[in-house]
Amino acid sequence: MTRRELDQKLKDLQDNMLLMGSMVEKAIEKSVEALKNRDLQLSRKVVEDDTIVDKKRLEIEEKCIQTIATQEPVASDLRFIIAIINIIVDLERMADHAEGIAKISLMIGDQPTLKPLVDIPRMAQRANDMLRRSLDALVSRDVEAAGKVCADDDEVDQLYDQVYRELLTFMLQDPRTIDRATHLLWAAHNLERIADRATNIAERVIFLVTGKMTECGTSKY
Amino acid sequence: MIKSSPLPTGVTVPVRDEERKVSNGGVQEGLVSIGLNAWYGRLLAIRNINIHFEPKHVTAIIGPSGCGKSTLIRCFNRLHETVPGARVSGQVLLDGKDIYSPGTDPVQLRRRIGMVFQRPNPFPTMSIFDNVATGIKLNGGMKGSRLAEIVERSLRHAALWDEVKDKLRNTGTDLSGGQQQRLCIARALAVEPEVLLMDEPCSALDPIATMKIEDLIRSLRETYMIVIVTHNMQQAARVSDFTGFMLAAEDRAGELIEFGPTPQMFTNPKDKRTEDYITGRFG
């Protein structure tokens, strides 16, 4: 094993994972922006771009496998690669959720949204913030910061509750809104899942630094 | 089982199985060192080694060159003292009995604690059969079919029988390097030791021969207590149940830095020096 070569490969893996993270972040942002502004072209773009994220995941996974096979990493090097392998799966699934929101937007089509969207973009913002901070915690190997990401999941869950209650009120008041309200509920559900995935990443950071597998919080959903 | 007085008070030796210790009336089964130091003349080679090897387990000792790994295992069968000027202090207990006590015969002890060296060293003028049989003959003068039986069993244990059964009268040095090493293992097993010490047994072998020796180590684990010194960390990871990491201090004396279950040592070592060594950051 050449230490310099392994260090280079680990850095390359981290850089690629961060790149994938920023692709996912943009996908989440654009999917909600398109939903809010009824921008179908942007929604289509999010759906199309998901294949790029999928490819990136396979590329990183391949690099991880090659590094394990050729460098025989152990201890924190091994934990790092295992963390990356798990994180890229979470990132890919997050992008799939963003794609899901884009598809919901396409399903709504030309209809106006039920109401101006406030809490759903807020959920997206919070979830994206959790994603960013979980990856920052990974780069700085910061267990405390990772723990805070986990704690913030509750906030997203609360927003989800709020969206649910609000949409339920619409549906109860006027059954003709059920279709459109359900679409929005699906979008909110996707965002709630995205935040859960960010906590998975934070748990991987804790594993990377401490070697301990933890479930740092139980999401309400 | 040899009974002896309990361990000195105030001495901490890594114990992996409290139940076993208690059930055995305070005597730790296996091989234990307490405050073991070894010198070459004035040079302290290993310092204050407290370690416990359990029966039916493989323990690997890893560490950079010059950290005292080989010296340590040579203390376990009293080979260290054969070097002029070399001496030992502290205790080494085999099933509770101090192997350095005045009444212990080092030659008899080495029957119970066999050793396999880095380079295969079959007796060059002897046949394959005699290489294995000599130790038994010296120990009790056994002959005939009983002797042949033990030779066969030892060669089978060493996973060599099928390859040599038709040429037992050929000299041992006719065999390949890997076969010679297995012959040396068979020779060590013939006298039915309790412990097998292996000092880098694969470092002179190719990958296929290495793999065979590693398979053999795993199968011998069922019967013997094995301690293997290796420079190949992946080998330590593959074959051992426990791993000890040694490192030389500033005065060049080797110390046991960390000891633990192998899976833990290679995924999450507790000591930064272990982490730095096994990840290739130094050494």
Side-chain angles (χ1 to χ4, degrees), chain B residues 187-214:
Chain B
R187 187 175 64 191
L189 298 181
V191 294
E192 299 184 340
E194 291 159 53
V195 186
L196 201 53
L197 305 172
M198 303 177 120
D199 192 357
E200 295 184 47
C202 301
S203 61
L205 305 181
D206 67 46
I208 302 290
T210 297
M211 200 176 69
K212 284 191 176 165
I213 301 281
E214 288 183 4

PDB file of all heavy atoms in Angstrom, chain B residues 187-214:
ATOM      1  N   ARG B 187       6.677 -31.258  11.825  1.00  0.00           N
ATOM      2  CA  ARG B 187       7.714 -31.647  12.782  1.00  0.00           C
ATOM      3  C   ARG B 187       7.393 -31.079  14.169  1.00  0.00           C
ATOM      4  O   ARG B 187       7.536 -31.750  15.189  1.00  0.00           O
ATOM      5  CB  ARG B 187       9.061 -31.103  12.290  1.00  0.00           C
ATOM      6  CG  ARG B 187      10.251 -31.566  13.097  1.00  0.00           C
ATOM      7  CD  ARG B 187      11.533 -31.078  12.479  1.00  0.00           C
ATOM      8  NE  ARG B 187      11.623 -29.615  12.498  1.00  0.00           N
ATOM      9  CZ  ARG B 187      12.546 -28.911  11.830  1.00  0.00           C
ATOM     10  NH1 ARG B 187      13.424 -29.525  11.068  1.00  0.00           N
ATOM     11  NH2 ARG B 187      12.571 -27.597  11.903  1.00  0.00           N
ATOM     12  N   ALA B 188       6.943 -29.824  14.171  1.00  0.00           N
ATOM     13  CA  ALA B 188       6.594 -29.199  15.452  1.00  0.00           C
ATOM     14  C   ALA B 188       5.367 -29.877  16.079  1.00  0.00           C
ATOM     15  O   ALA B 188       5.293 -30.049  17.292  1.00  0.00           O
ATOM     16  CB  ALA B 188       6.322 -27.710  15.249  1.00  0.00           C
ATOM     17  N   LEU B 189       4.411 -30.296  15.220  1.00  0.00           N
ATOM     18  CA  LEU B 189       3.177 -30.896  15.735  1.00  0.00           C
ATOM     19  C   LEU B 189       3.386 -32.315  16.235  1.00  0.00           C
ATOM     20  O   LEU B 189       2.625 -32.805  17.078  1.00  0.00           O
ATOM     21  CB  LEU B 189       2.093 -30.902  14.649  1.00  0.00           C
ATOM     22  CG  LEU B 189       1.630 -29.550  14.116  1.00  0.00           C
ATOM     23  CD1 LEU B 189       0.539 -29.758  13.055  1.00  0.00           C
ATOM     24  CD2 LEU B 189       1.093 -28.673  15.245  1.00  0.00           C
ATOM     25  N   ALA B 190       4.419 -32.980  15.709  1.00  0.00           N
ATOM     26  CA  ALA B 190       4.619 -34.406  16.005  1.00  0.00           C
ATOM     27  C   ALA B 190       4.746 -34.665  17.502  1.00  0.00           C
ATOM     28  O   ALA B 190       4.296 -35.697  17.996  1.00  0.00           O
ATOM     29  CB  ALA B 190       5.854 -34.914  15.263  1.00  0.00           C
ATOM     30  N   VAL B 191       5.344 -33.724  18.223  1.00  0.00           N
ATOM     31  CA  VAL B 191       5.531 -33.944  19.664  1.00  0.00           C
ATOM     32  C   VAL B 191       4.337 -33.443  20.479  1.00  0.00           C
ATOM     33  O   VAL B 191       4.404 -33.339  21.701  1.00  0.00           O
ATOM     34  CB  VAL B 191       6.836 -33.288  20.174  1.00  0.00           C
ATOM     35  CG1 VAL B 191       8.045 -33.980  19.552  1.00  0.00           C
ATOM     36  CG2 VAL B 191       6.857 -31.792  19.868  1.00  0.00           C
ATOM     37  N   GLU B 192       3.260 -33.147  19.771  1.00  0.00           N
ATOM     38  CA  GLU B 192       1.997 -32.730  20.393  1.00  0.00           C
ATOM     39  C   GLU B 192       2.163 -31.575  21.368  1.00  0.00           C
ATOM     40  O   GLU B 192       1.922 -31.699  22.576  1.00  0.00           O
ATOM     41  CB  GLU B 192       1.335 -33.930  21.096  1.00  0.00           C
ATOM     42  CG  GLU B 192       1.005 -35.035  20.116  1.00  0.00           C
ATOM     43  CD  GLU B 192       0.276 -36.191  20.764  1.00  0.00           C
ATOM     44  OE1 GLU B 192       0.347 -36.328  22.000  1.00  0.00           O
ATOM     45  OE2 GLU B 192      -0.364 -36.946  20.035  1.00  0.00           O
ATOM     46  N   PRO B 193       2.568 -30.427  20.849  1.00  0.00           N
ATOM     47  CA  PRO B 193       2.732 -29.269  21.717  1.00  0.00           C
ATOM     48  C   PRO B 193       1.362 -28.693  22.092  1.00  0.00           C
ATOM     49  O   PRO B 193       0.353 -29.037  21.487  1.00  0.00           O
ATOM     50  CB  PRO B 193       3.487 -28.286  20.839  1.00  0.00           C
ATOM     51  CG  PRO B 193       3.021 -28.600  19.453  1.00  0.00           C
ATOM     52  CD  PRO B 193       2.770 -30.078  19.429  1.00  0.00           C
ATOM     53  N   GLU B 194       1.367 -27.815  23.076  1.00  0.00           N
ATOM     54  CA  GLU B 194       0.127 -27.112  23.408  1.00  0.00           C
ATOM     55  C   GLU B 194       0.059 -25.781  22.674  1.00  0.00           C
ATOM     56  O   GLU B 194      -1.004 -25.275  22.358  1.00  0.00           O
ATOM     57  CB  GLU B 194       0.081 -26.830  24.922  1.00  0.00           C
ATOM     58  CG  GLU B 194      -0.083 -28.085  25.740  1.00  0.00           C
ATOM     59  CD  GLU B 194       0.382 -27.885  27.167  1.00  0.00           C
ATOM     60  OE1 GLU B 194      -0.074 -26.932  27.812  1.00  0.00           O
ATOM     61  OE2 GLU B 194       1.214 -28.688  27.632  1.00  0.00           O
ATOM     62  N   VAL B 195       1.255 -25.241  22.448  1.00  0.00           N
ATOM     63  CA  VAL B 195       1.344 -23.917  21.827  1.00  0.00           C
ATOM     64  C   VAL B 195       2.238 -24.008  20.600  1.00  0.00           C
ATOM     65  O   VAL B 195       3.238 -24.731  20.600  1.00  0.00           O
ATOM     66  CB  VAL B 195       1.987 -22.893  22.806  1.00  0.00           C
ATOM     67  CG1 VAL B 195       1.936 -21.490  22.220  1.00  0.00           C
ATOM     68  CG2 VAL B 195       1.325 -22.941  24.165  1.00  0.00           C
ATOM     69  N   LEU B 196       1.852 -23.275  19.560  1.00  0.00           N
ATOM     70  CA  LEU B 196       2.695 -23.193  18.379  1.00  0.00           C
ATOM     71  C   LEU B 196       3.040 -21.712  18.161  1.00  0.00           C
ATOM     72  O   LEU B 196       2.151 -20.890  17.954  1.00  0.00           O
ATOM     73  CB  LEU B 196       1.917 -23.751  17.177  1.00  0.00           C
ATOM     74  CG  LEU B 196       2.700 -24.216  15.968  1.00  0.00           C
ATOM     75  CD1 LEU B 196       3.784 -25.225  16.347  1.00  0.00           C
ATOM     76  CD2 LEU B 196       1.760 -24.828  14.944  1.00  0.00           C
ATOM     77  N   LEU B 197       4.321 -21.415  18.263  1.00  0.00           N
ATOM     78  CA  LEU B 197       4.777 -20.041  18.018  1.00  0.00           C
ATOM     79  C   LEU B 197       5.267 -19.971  16.575  1.00  0.00           C
ATOM     80  O   LEU B 197       6.032 -20.831  16.150  1.00  0.00           O
ATOM     81  CB  LEU B 197       5.921 -19.685  18.968  1.00  0.00           C
ATOM     82  CG  LEU B 197       5.662 -19.865  20.463  1.00  0.00           C
ATOM     83  CD1 LEU B 197       6.953 -19.654  21.250  1.00  0.00           C
ATOM     84  CD2 LEU B 197       4.589 -18.898  20.944  1.00  0.00           C
ATOM     85  N   MET B 198       4.825 -18.987  15.846  1.00  0.00           N
ATOM     86  CA  MET B 198       5.236 -18.877  14.440  1.00  0.00           C
ATOM     87  C   MET B 198       5.831 -17.505  14.204  1.00  0.00           C
ATOM     88  O   MET B 198       5.163 -16.493  14.401  1.00  0.00           O
ATOM     89  CB  MET B 198       4.034 -19.110  13.530  1.00  0.00           C
ATOM     90  CG  MET B 198       3.352 -20.445  13.770  1.00  0.00           C
ATOM     91  SD  MET B 198       1.900 -20.641  12.731  1.00  0.00           S
ATOM     92  CE  MET B 198       2.365 -22.090  11.821  1.00  0.00           C
ATOM     93  N   ASP B 199       7.091 -17.512  13.792  1.00  0.00           N
ATOM     94  CA  ASP B 199       7.789 -16.243  13.586  1.00  0.00           C
ATOM     95  C   ASP B 199       7.855 -15.940  12.094  1.00  0.00           C
ATOM     96  O   ASP B 199       8.697 -16.492  11.389  1.00  0.00           O
ATOM     97  CB  ASP B 199       9.198 -16.344  14.194  1.00  0.00           C
ATOM     98  CG  ASP B 199       9.865 -14.976  14.273  1.00  0.00           C
ATOM     99  OD1 ASP B 199       9.263 -13.993  13.819  1.00  0.00           O
ATOM    100  OD2 ASP B 199      10.991 -14.907  14.797  1.00  0.00           O
ATOM    101  N   GLU B 200       6.930 -15.116  11.625  1.00  0.00           N
ATOM    102  CA  GLU B 200       6.819 -14.787  10.204  1.00  0.00           C
ATOM    103  C   GLU B 200       6.908 -16.039   9.326  1.00  0.00           C
ATOM    104  O   GLU B 200       7.787 -16.142   8.476  1.00  0.00           O
ATOM    105  CB  GLU B 200       7.926 -13.806   9.814  1.00  0.00           C
ATOM    106  CG  GLU B 200       7.778 -12.469  10.517  1.00  0.00           C
ATOM    107  CD  GLU B 200       8.825 -11.495  10.039  1.00  0.00           C
ATOM    108  OE1 GLU B 200       8.987 -11.401   8.811  1.00  0.00           O
ATOM    109  OE2 GLU B 200       9.470 -10.861  10.882  1.00  0.00           O
ATOM    110  N   PRO B 201       5.977 -16.969   9.494  1.00  0.00           N
ATOM    111  CA  PRO B 201       6.121 -18.262   8.814  1.00  0.00           C
ATOM    112  C   PRO B 201       5.910 -18.201   7.302  1.00  0.00           C
ATOM    113  O   PRO B 201       6.233 -19.154   6.615  1.00  0.00           O
ATOM    114  CB  PRO B 201       5.025 -19.117   9.462  1.00  0.00           C
ATOM    115  CG  PRO B 201       3.996 -18.133   9.886  1.00  0.00           C
ATOM    116  CD  PRO B 201       4.744 -16.899  10.292  1.00  0.00           C
ATOM    117  N   CYS B 202       5.387 -17.087   6.805  1.00  0.00           N
ATOM    118  CA  CYS B 202       5.091 -17.041   5.365  1.00  0.00           C
ATOM    119  C   CYS B 202       5.953 -16.031   4.619  1.00  0.00           C
ATOM    120  O   CYS B 202       5.779 -15.852   3.419  1.00  0.00           O
ATOM    121  CB  CYS B 202       3.619 -16.689   5.140  1.00  0.00           C
ATOM    122  SG  CYS B 202       2.504 -17.855   5.908  1.00  0.00           S
ATOM    123  N   SER B 203       6.854 -15.376   5.320  1.00  0.00           N
ATOM    124  CA  SER B 203       7.539 -14.264   4.643  1.00  0.00           C
ATOM    125  C   SER B 203       8.478 -14.730   3.548  1.00  0.00           C
ATOM    126  O   SER B 203       8.855 -13.949   2.685  1.00  0.00           O
ATOM    127  CB  SER B 203       8.275 -13.390   5.660  1.00  0.00           C
ATOM    128  OG  SER B 203       9.227 -14.154   6.326  1.00  0.00           O
ATOM    129  N   ALA B 204       8.849 -16.039   3.552  1.00  0.00           N
ATOM    130  CA  ALA B 204       9.714 -16.514   2.473  1.00  0.00           C
ATOM    131  C   ALA B 204       8.921 -17.303   1.427  1.00  0.00           C
ATOM    132  O   ALA B 204       9.513 -17.975   0.586  1.00  0.00           O
ATOM    133  CB  ALA B 204      10.821 -17.380   3.055  1.00  0.00           C
ATOM    134  N   LEU B 205       7.589 -17.199   1.487  1.00  0.00           N
ATOM    135  CA  LEU B 205       6.766 -18.045   0.609  1.00  0.00           C
ATOM    136  C   LEU B 205       5.971 -17.229  -0.416  1.00  0.00           C
ATOM    137  O   LEU B 205       5.684 -16.052  -0.193  1.00  0.00           O
ATOM    138  CB  LEU B 205       5.777 -18.854   1.461  1.00  0.00           C
ATOM    139  CG  LEU B 205       6.376 -19.716   2.580  1.00  0.00           C
ATOM    140  CD1 LEU B 205       5.268 -20.466   3.300  1.00  0.00           C
ATOM    141  CD2 LEU B 205       7.406 -20.691   2.032  1.00  0.00           C
ATOM    142  N   ASP B 206       5.609 -17.901  -1.523  1.00  0.00           N
ATOM    143  CA  ASP B 206       4.793 -17.218  -2.537  1.00  0.00           C
ATOM    144  C   ASP B 206       3.326 -17.185  -2.072  1.00  0.00           C
ATOM    145  O   ASP B 206       2.970 -17.848  -1.097  1.00  0.00           O
ATOM    146  CB  ASP B 206       4.967 -17.897  -3.903  1.00  0.00           C
ATOM    147  CG  ASP B 206       4.381 -19.297  -3.925  1.00  0.00           C
ATOM    148  OD1 ASP B 206       3.249 -19.480  -3.433  1.00  0.00           O
ATOM    149  OD2 ASP B 206       5.047 -20.219  -4.420  1.00  0.00           O
ATOM    150  N   PRO B 207       2.468 -16.417  -2.794  1.00  0.00           N
ATOM    151  CA  PRO B 207       1.086 -16.253  -2.302  1.00  0.00           C
ATOM    152  C   PRO B 207       0.297 -17.553  -2.165  1.00  0.00           C
ATOM    153  O   PRO B 207      -0.486 -17.697  -1.228  1.00  0.00           O
ATOM    154  CB  PRO B 207       0.437 -15.343  -3.360  1.00  0.00           C
ATOM    155  CG  PRO B 207       1.570 -14.629  -3.993  1.00  0.00           C
ATOM    156  CD  PRO B 207       2.738 -15.545  -3.941  1.00  0.00           C
ATOM    157  N   ILE B 208       0.512 -18.511  -3.063  1.00  0.00           N
ATOM    158  CA  ILE B 208      -0.252 -19.768  -2.978  1.00  0.00           C
ATOM    159  C   ILE B 208       0.193 -20.557  -1.738  1.00  0.00           C
ATOM    160  O   ILE B 208      -0.639 -21.046  -0.966  1.00  0.00           O
ATOM    161  CB  ILE B 208      -0.045 -20.642  -4.250  1.00  0.00           C
ATOM    162  CG1 ILE B 208      -0.462 -19.867  -5.505  1.00  0.00           C
ATOM    163  CG2 ILE B 208      -0.786 -21.971  -4.141  1.00  0.00           C
ATOM    164  CD1 ILE B 208      -1.935 -19.624  -5.654  1.00  0.00           C
ATOM    165  N   ALA B 209       1.507 -20.647  -1.565  1.00  0.00           N
ATOM    166  CA  ALA B 209       2.025 -21.360  -0.391  1.00  0.00           C
ATOM    167  C   ALA B 209       1.588 -20.646   0.886  1.00  0.00           C
ATOM    168  O   ALA B 209       1.237 -21.291   1.877  1.00  0.00           O
ATOM    169  CB  ALA B 209       3.539 -21.444  -0.463  1.00  0.00           C
ATOM    170  N   THR B 210       1.576 -19.321   0.828  1.00  0.00           N
ATOM    171  CA  THR B 210       1.126 -18.532   1.979  1.00  0.00           C
ATOM    172  C   THR B 210      -0.320 -18.862   2.324  1.00  0.00           C
ATOM    173  O   THR B 210      -0.685 -19.064   3.478  1.00  0.00           O
ATOM    174  CB  THR B 210       1.251 -17.025   1.664  1.00  0.00           C
ATOM    175  OG1 THR B 210       2.629 -16.733   1.467  1.00  0.00           O
ATOM    176  CG2 THR B 210       0.720 -16.166   2.793  1.00  0.00           C
ATOM    177  N   MET B 211      -1.154 -18.938   1.264  1.00  0.00           N
ATOM    178  CA  MET B 211      -2.571 -19.219   1.476  1.00  0.00           C
ATOM    179  C   MET B 211      -2.753 -20.584   2.157  1.00  0.00           C
ATOM    180  O   MET B 211      -3.583 -20.741   3.047  1.00  0.00           O
ATOM    181  CB  MET B 211      -3.283 -19.200   0.131  1.00  0.00           C
ATOM    182  CG  MET B 211      -4.765 -19.012   0.204  1.00  0.00           C
ATOM    183  SD  MET B 211      -5.433 -18.892  -1.458  1.00  0.00           S
ATOM    184  CE  MET B 211      -5.198 -20.572  -2.039  1.00  0.00           C
ATOM    185  N   LYS B 212      -1.939 -21.560   1.707  1.00  0.00           N
ATOM    186  CA  LYS B 212      -2.049 -22.894   2.304  1.00  0.00           C
ATOM    187  C   LYS B 212      -1.670 -22.871   3.785  1.00  0.00           C
ATOM    188  O   LYS B 212      -2.314 -23.513   4.608  1.00  0.00           O
ATOM    189  CB  LYS B 212      -1.138 -23.883   1.555  1.00  0.00           C
ATOM    190  CG  LYS B 212      -1.718 -24.287   0.222  1.00  0.00           C
ATOM    191  CD  LYS B 212      -0.964 -25.437  -0.390  1.00  0.00           C
ATOM    192  CE  LYS B 212      -1.645 -25.863  -1.679  1.00  0.00           C
ATOM    193  NZ  LYS B 212      -0.799 -26.713  -2.496  1.00  0.00           N
ATOM    194  N   ILE B 213      -0.611 -22.118   4.103  1.00  0.00           N
ATOM    195  CA  ILE B 213      -0.196 -22.034   5.508  1.00  0.00           C
ATOM    196  C   ILE B 213      -1.287 -21.333   6.322  1.00  0.00           C
ATOM    197  O   ILE B 213      -1.607 -21.731   7.442  1.00  0.00           O
ATOM    198  CB  ILE B 213       1.153 -21.274   5.657  1.00  0.00           C
ATOM    199  CG1 ILE B 213       2.265 -21.972   4.869  1.00  0.00           C
ATOM    200  CG2 ILE B 213       1.522 -21.105   7.138  1.00  0.00           C
ATOM    201  CD1 ILE B 213       2.869 -23.191   5.518  1.00  0.00           C
ATOM    202  N   GLU B 214      -1.875 -20.287   5.718  1.00  0.00           N
ATOM    203  CA  GLU B 214      -2.937 -19.575   6.442  1.00  0.00           C
ATOM    204  C   GLU B 214      -4.139 -20.481   6.700  1.00  0.00           C
ATOM    205  O   GLU B 214      -4.718 -20.475   7.790  1.00  0.00           O
ATOM    206  CB  GLU B 214      -3.366 -18.322   5.666  1.00  0.00           C
ATOM    207  CG  GLU B 214      -2.302 -17.232   5.714  1.00  0.00           C
ATOM    208  CD  GLU B 214      -2.740 -15.961   5.010  1.00  0.00           C
ATOM    209  OE1 GLU B 214      -3.895 -15.882   4.544  1.00  0.00           O
ATOM    210  OE2 GLU B 214      -1.914 -15.035   4.921  1.00  0.00           O
TER     211      GLU B 214
END
